[in-house]
Amino acid sequence: MATVKQWHESLNFSKMRLSHLLGQPMTNVRIAEVFDQIADLLEFEGANPFRVRAYRNAARIVRDLPDAITSILADPQRKLTDIDGIGDDLADKITTLAATGSLPFLEELLARVPESVLALMRIPGLGPKKAAVLYKELGVKTLADLKAACDSHKVQELKGFGAKTEQTILAGMTLAETAADRMLWAKADAIASNLLAHLKPLKEVKQLAAAGSYRRGSETVGDLDLLVDSTEPEKVMDRLAAYPDVAATIGRGDTKMSIRLEGGVQVDLRVVPEESFGAALLYFTGSKNHNIVLRGMAKDRGLKVNEYGIFRDDKFLAGRTEEEIYRMLDLPWIAPELREARQEFAWAAAGELPELIELADIRGDLHMHTTESDGRSTLAEMAAAAKALGHSYIAITDHSKRTSMANGLDSRRLLKQWSEIDALNAEKPGILVLKGVECDILEKGGLDIDDDTLAEADWVICSIHYGQNQSRQQITERILQAIENPNVAAIAHPTGRLINRRKPYEVDLEAVYKAAAKHGKFLELNSNPERLDLDDIHCAAAKQHGVKIVINTDAHRADALAGLRYGIMQARRAGLTKEDVANTRTWVQMRKLIGKTHS
Ligand code: DGT
Ligand code: CA
Ligand code: CA
Ligand code: ZN
């Protein structure tokens, strides 16, 4: 884990790099980041809330645009101001950003705020407004200042703070420290794909792969480990050095190199000859613990295994592929997602390695939102996109009314939506659209929608959004009650965690698994890259209890429906097969499972 100081430096680093970042070709994400940062800085300065909100909206609009801003600008037929929510002023700023790579307004704002304060604003539970109060009232400028102010309880004495806020800030600091260290898998995937696409066209590159925790599908990734099969390491390293996003070269040797990208991500590269590619892939995929077991097994057989190959008395036996090395150790090839030295060796020894679920096994997605609550795509758009992905059914599960911030539906609006779904199905859209709801489990227990209405639904998925700070007993009891309700089919994101941002709420999962198995209810593996909830360990435990998992996207817009692959990755790490996942079945088969004791 990074120290506070390192984290602080990495954030300063990101500010220092901002001008560089601004020199990069402007993606929509980057433009959105600039607007978000302007909003933060304005809020910190106590600017008019409408102004702040205008920039936050701008960030959201740009982030949600299906087309690249740069291509809209390049198209003489199109104007930025034709986009909903983009007026003249914003269009000017975007044009300046794209053309010059900088924005004088942002530079001015940045010049007025101490660098170290930027880091404070990003602490979960703090935000620009509170950071401003701490700065003005207590002179808090750095993370160390903040820690000291919390420890001496000066923070809780401030107006609008209190003991609970002080606790939240302390917890947020700890989370932020780790968060700075490890990125979400989805982010690693975007970066790795770009890097591989950059290296691949080089004719000296014969094979290439991204190894490490990324290849194992870990929910967070520390750094990227690239591997290239080539006899020309210099050319490969030169090519990596020419990657547009490189901020610094950390080190370079004859066959290995480490760089840091803008934004701070480290990338390690190894160039190996063809006869060692499999051995290096195995070694650098890890995990370290998996490698340790392999080395032990090699030793037992009088062999030695390392990143160059497998040897007997310094005689090279194999190394071209992973399979060859596993075979020398009397093992079948083991999928990277299982290489955590958990159960894979016992499974392999017994000939019982699970046939891991694949994306193509999924037939339907049973958790998604539309414009009716807080989604960005309409019912028809969601259905069309799901059909295009090859799904044979989906459930529309907008929020229920308790989730008022998300414009949740009461029973009247639900029934109206369900009749629209009936009408859509009557048009034979080529996909079955199920009438569903993501029904809130209320703080006091019980469900947000009456049973008569729920009984009309095809699919009811329940979740906890409020009262997450309650005791373990209270939260567990609320979930068990929902599971026992005959109208309910599944529990969504059962622990409520947000990776790097929010800890899971207190819940007795053992009791939840048992109840789900007893009442024939499913537990969700939510595919949102920030949720992945249940996680791999929990999914494996649920399976042990005979619970079937349902893998959903929780998509809030049509293009997010493709995010199922993140959930599939986590399911594979849990060792789940097609059989273990309920929505690999047809809807008819699946419906028969609901309410039936799983075993
Ligand atoms: P990360 O980057 O923290 O998310 O995790 P990894 O697993 O990608 O770890 P990393 O990047 O330090 O190293 C990549 C792989 O290289 C690791 O999974 C196993 C292998 N490896 C690295 N150092 C050692 C070591 O000291 N011993 C062994 N046996 N393997 C190592
Ligand atoms: Ca790594
Ligand atoms: Ca590494
Ligand atoms: Zn949802």
Side-chain angles (χ1 to χ4, degrees):
M1 189 192 289
T3 61
V4 171
K5 181 161 171 292
Q6 280 169 328
W7 179 59
H8 194 176
E9 279 166 359
S10 79
L11 284 170
N12 277 344
F13 174 84
S14 65
K15 180 183 171 184
M16 263 163 37
R17 289 285 166 197
L18 195 78
S19 46
H20 287 257
L21 192 141
L22 290 172
Q24 293 294 316
M26 276 290 157
T27 60
N28 292 8
V29 173
R30 279 191 176 139
I31 294 171
E33 278 168 1
V34 169
F35 287 138
D36 268 333
Q37 184 157 33
I38 291 176
D40 282 352
L41 290 164
L42 286 174
E43 207 175 350
F44 181 83
E45 292 198 332
N48 180 330
F50 290 107
R51 235 178 131 209
V52 175
R53 196 166 327 138
Y55 281 102
R56 295 235 187 273
N57 281 340
R60 186 178 50 75
I61 290 166
V62 171
R63 203 171 269 123
D64 285 355
L65 273 184
D67 304 320
I69 290 271
T70 44
S71 64
I72 297 174
L73 286 171
D75 184 346
Q77 310 283 2
R78 302 183 66 182
K79 287 208 307 267
L80 283 177
T81 45
D82 292 342
I83 300 166
D84 253 2
I86 298 191
D88 290 335
D89 177 59
L90 222 69
D92 280 352
K93 290 209 165 71
I94 294 174
T95 311
T96 309
L97 259 172
T100 67
S102 74
L103 203 55
F105 178 51
L106 175 62
E107 303 288 353
E108 272 168 41
L109 282 170
L110 282 171
R112 292 206 291 264
V113 178
E115 276 187 18
S116 55
V117 173
L118 287 176
L120 299 181
M121 294 187 215
R122 287 174 221 173
I123 293 169
L126 197 53
K129 262 200 221 128
K130 287 206 172 76
V133 176
L134 290 166
Y135 176 58
K136 279 191 210 124
E137 302 289 322
L138 300 178
V140 168
K141 277 202 231 108
T142 64
L143 284 166
D145 294 347
L146 179 59
K147 179 96 180 23
C150 285
D151 287 344
S152 60
H153 301 307
K154 280 192 196 129
V155 172
Q156 54 173 280
E157 283 155 20
L158 290 172
K159 192 164 171 264
F161 281 66
K164 192 146 187 183
T165 312
E166 196 174 85
Q167 283 304 313
T168 311
I169 293 172
L170 275 172
M173 285 177 77
T174 319
L175 266 177
E177 277 171 37
T178 20
D181 261 7
R182 306 189 63 81
M183 65 195 129
L184 296 183
W185 189 88
K187 179 178 174 186
D189 183 48
I191 298 173
S193 308
N194 283 337
L195 282 163
L196 294 178
H198 172 79
L199 293 174
K200 200 168 179 199
L202 191 71
K203 71 175 193 306
E204 286 80 9
V205 170
K206 279 181 276 179
Q207 302 177 73
L208 80 171
S213 54
Y214 167 70
R215 184 164 178 246
R216 301 198 309 280
S218 304
E219 60 193 34
T220 62
V221 172
D223 67 9
L224 287 170
D225 305 281
L226 303 183
L227 215 59
V228 170
D229 162 9
S230 174
T231 50
E232 302 276 355
E234 291 299 330
K235 293 211 168 104
V236 178
M237 291 189 289
D238 286 347
R239 177 78 187 164
L240 182 63
Y243 185 67
D245 222 22
V246 176
T249 298
I250 299 166
R252 179 166 171 163
D254 292 339
T255 59
K256 63 181 179 184
M257 177 175 182
S258 287
I259 56 169
R260 190 172 296 285
L261 301 179
E262 300 290 354
V265 174
Q266 181 172 330
V267 182
D268 296 337
L269 167 73
R270 296 270 176 154
V271 186
V272 298
E274 191 184 353
E275 63 269 22
S276 292
F277 187 75
L281 187 56
L282 184 58
Y283 182 89
F284 290 108
T285 296
S287 67
K288 201 168 162 181
N289 289 332
H290 182 88
N291 289 352
I292 288 170
V293 176
L294 289 180
R295 278 205 298 272
M297 291 179 74
K299 206 166 166 221
D300 292 344
R301 288 162 177 76
L303 303 171
K304 193 179 87 190
V305 61
N306 58 27
E307 61 263 53
Y308 304 104
I310 186 160
F311 302 83
R312 183 185 306 279
D313 305 328
D314 293 333
K315 183 172 174 284
F316 177 88
L317 300 177
R320 198 172 291 267
T321 66
E322 289 184 330
E323 284 87 344
E324 288 173 354
I325 298 171
Y326 278 120
R327 202 180 307 130
M328 295 262 172
L329 301 172
D330 306 310
L331 289 167
W333 181 80
I334 297 174
E337 294 92 334
L338 295 178
R339 299 183 195 170
E340 299 290 345
R342 289 176 187 161
Q343 283 174 282
E344 70 270 29
F345 292 107
W347 281 335
E352 284 172 3
L353 271 176
E355 200 174 307
L356 300 180
I357 182 168
E358 291 174 7
L359 184 57
D361 295 330
I362 298 283
R363 292 181 193 246
D365 188 342
L366 295 165
H367 185 169
M368 67 189 65
H369 300 267
T370 72
T371 44
E372 204 46 39
S373 65
D374 60 345
R376 305 222 172 278
S377 306
T378 62
L379 165 62
E381 286 164 351
M382 294 305 273
K387 177 173 182 276
L389 288 175
H391 291 326
S392 55
Y393 56 91
I394 53 169
I396 300 296
T397 56
D398 273 315
H399 290 288
S400 61
K401 62 181 186 298
R402 175 66 184 89
T403 317
S404 49
M405 290 214 346
N407 190 24
L409 283 68
D410 59 12
S411 57
R412 189 186 55 82
R413 286 177 62 207
L414 271 173
L415 291 169
K416 180 164 169 286
Q417 186 189 46
W418 293 346
S419 69
E420 283 162 23
I421 292 176
D422 282 337
L424 178 62
N425 282 323
E427 289 168 18
K428 304 222 178 315
I431 182 166
L432 174 64
V433 183
L434 300 166
K435 294 176 274 190
V437 59
E438 177 178 10
C439 182
D440 255 69
I441 300 174
L442 300 173
E443 291 99 311
K444 60 178 193 308
L447 299 181
D448 192 20
I449 299 291
D450 62 277
D451 279 326
D452 287 346
T453 307
L454 292 182
E456 300 282 308
D458 299 312
W459 172 258
V460 176
I461 190 161
C462 286
S463 57
I464 287 195
H465 292 110
Y466 295 92
Q468 299 203 8
N469 290 325
Q470 289 175 357
S471 72
R472 183 178 172 92
Q473 199 191 342
Q474 268 175 306
I475 292 182
T476 307
E477 190 48 46
R478 286 163 68 197
I479 295 180
L480 296 190
Q481 241 184 36
I483 289 174
E484 285 159 17
N485 183 316
N487 296 315
V488 172
I491 302 294
H493 41 74
T495 79
R497 65 111 174 228
L498 295 176
I499 300 171
N500 285 347
R501 282 214 290 142
R502 190 171 75 203
K503 289 215 178 67
Y505 42 68
E506 292 289 335
V507 53
D508 178 358
L509 283 174
E510 230 12 71
V512 171
Y513 302 147
K514 284 188 183 139
K518 180 171 166 208
H519 295 279
K521 303 300 168 69
F522 309 118
L523 295 178
E524 183 181 69
L525 194 181
N526 187 296
S527 301
N528 181 322
E530 227 190 354
R531 289 193 182 272
L532 297 172
D533 179 13
L534 296 174
D535 71 12
D536 48 356
I537 306 271
H538 294 145
C539 281
K543 174 179 173 173
Q544 287 285 308
H545 283 84
V547 178
K548 296 272 184 267
I549 300 294
V550 51
I551 306 179
N552 297 321
T553 55
D554 198 357
H556 282 68
R557 42 189 285 177
D559 58 9
L561 288 168
L564 259 182
R565 63 195 189 96
Y566 306 124
I568 296 290
M569 188 78 109
Q570 188 81 325
R572 290 169 62 86
R573 290 176 57 80
L576 300 192
T577 65
K578 185 176 172 180
E579 168 67 24
D580 301 324
V581 176
N583 50 330
T584 58
R585 292 162 178 75
T586 64
W587 172 243
V588 173
Q589 290 169 332
M590 180 157 175
R591 192 175 46 190
K592 286 188 197 144
L593 275 183
I594 305 174
K596 227 187 211 174
T597 311
H598 309 316
S599 57

